[in-house]
Amino acid sequence: MNFKLTEWNYVKHMRKMFLISCAIVIIGLGILFFRGLNLGIDFASGTRVEVQTETQVSQEELEAAFREAGVDESISSVQYADGGTLANVTFVGQLGQQDVASVKDVFTETFGSDPNISTVSAEVGRDIARNAIYAVALASLGIILYITFRFEFSYAVATVVAMLHDAFFMIVAFSIFGIEVNLYFVAAILTIIGYSVNDTIVTFDRVRENIQAYEKERKIKSMDVYRSIVNQSIQETIVRSVNTVITVLLTALALYVFGAESIRGFAVALLVGLFMGMYSSLFIASYLWLLLKRTTLNKKKAEPAPEV
């Protein structure tokens, strides 16, 4: 079968892909309900202990040192740097002053260096989570206002729904793989929001141009014309979208393979979000816009003719 991106009928498959996305969203909600998220100490009360050692130590050795210091909390994650001689240990649970002093004494004696200990309270974690939600909400509001001003409200609604669709899939992916949700995750969400909106706007800008070109000769009176214009616009922009995704995906993959353990979650979020951003601009935003256009067109047809 000879398949070309610039000749495929995208509109023909939009409804099917949209229904599949709706089903996956429902499944994703179930996954989030039963599995939840692996919140890092940025969002839940917890402690981070950074210790320099001469050789790489195992998680079991670190847990034994914590038990010796009288700390019973289980380790959430251990990340290594400097060839494995710098261990960054995180666990849920806020240490008191006596526990911090005990850990410092035991770690200094066991590993030969004074550890750097930082704690985050539950209140601070809630503030960070609340601020992250505010950031996404303000970004959504700004996008709606800007796109409504530059295009029209139907474009804005479709773009924001597609953007939230991409963010949701990233959250579900983190839940499925149990990746720690931290500040890097928030940065990834905001990055993907920007990419998703940009990719959708490129397609919608071509849709608007093609509509204006068509209406110079005659007025659009049927949904078939809108479907044809949307399909043509996607065909004209798809190669650009694919090339952009491939380029950035290679960068995100390099971050995951060669980057530090602490930013691998960020790289995974980019890998998922970039693919979903292209998918949503094709099958979510465009389909929603067509639905909104059909509603508008039906209202115009239902309006009585003006009296003469």
Side-chain angles (χ1 to χ4, degrees), residues 195-213:
Y195 171 80
S196 176
V197 170
N198 177 72
D199 200 44
T200 303
I201 288 301
V202 168
T203 303
F204 279 166
D205 189 53
R206 187 55 58 89
V207 169
R208 182 178 61 173
E209 290 177 357
N210 288 334
I211 288 175
Q212 290 172 347

Side-chain angles (χ1 to χ4, degrees), residues 47-106:
T47 304
R48 179 181 288 112
V49 179
E50 187 178 274
V51 58
Q52 186 77 45
T53 60
E54 294 182 359
T55 58
Q56 182 172 334
V57 294
S58 65
Q59 182 169 329
E60 290 74 18
E61 291 175 297
L62 292 167
E63 289 177 343
F66 279 115
R67 285 195 298 270
E68 185 179 347
V71 177
D72 297 328
E73 284 83 355
S74 59
I75 292 177
S76 175
S77 67
V78 180
Q79 298 170 353
Y80 296 98
D82 293 346
T85 60
L86 180 64
N88 195 331
V89 185
T90 60
F91 56 85
V92 176
Q94 188 178 358
L95 295 184
Q97 292 183 353
Q98 291 184 349
D99 290 331
V100 170
S102 179
V103 169
K104 283 182 174 289
D105 291 339
V106 171

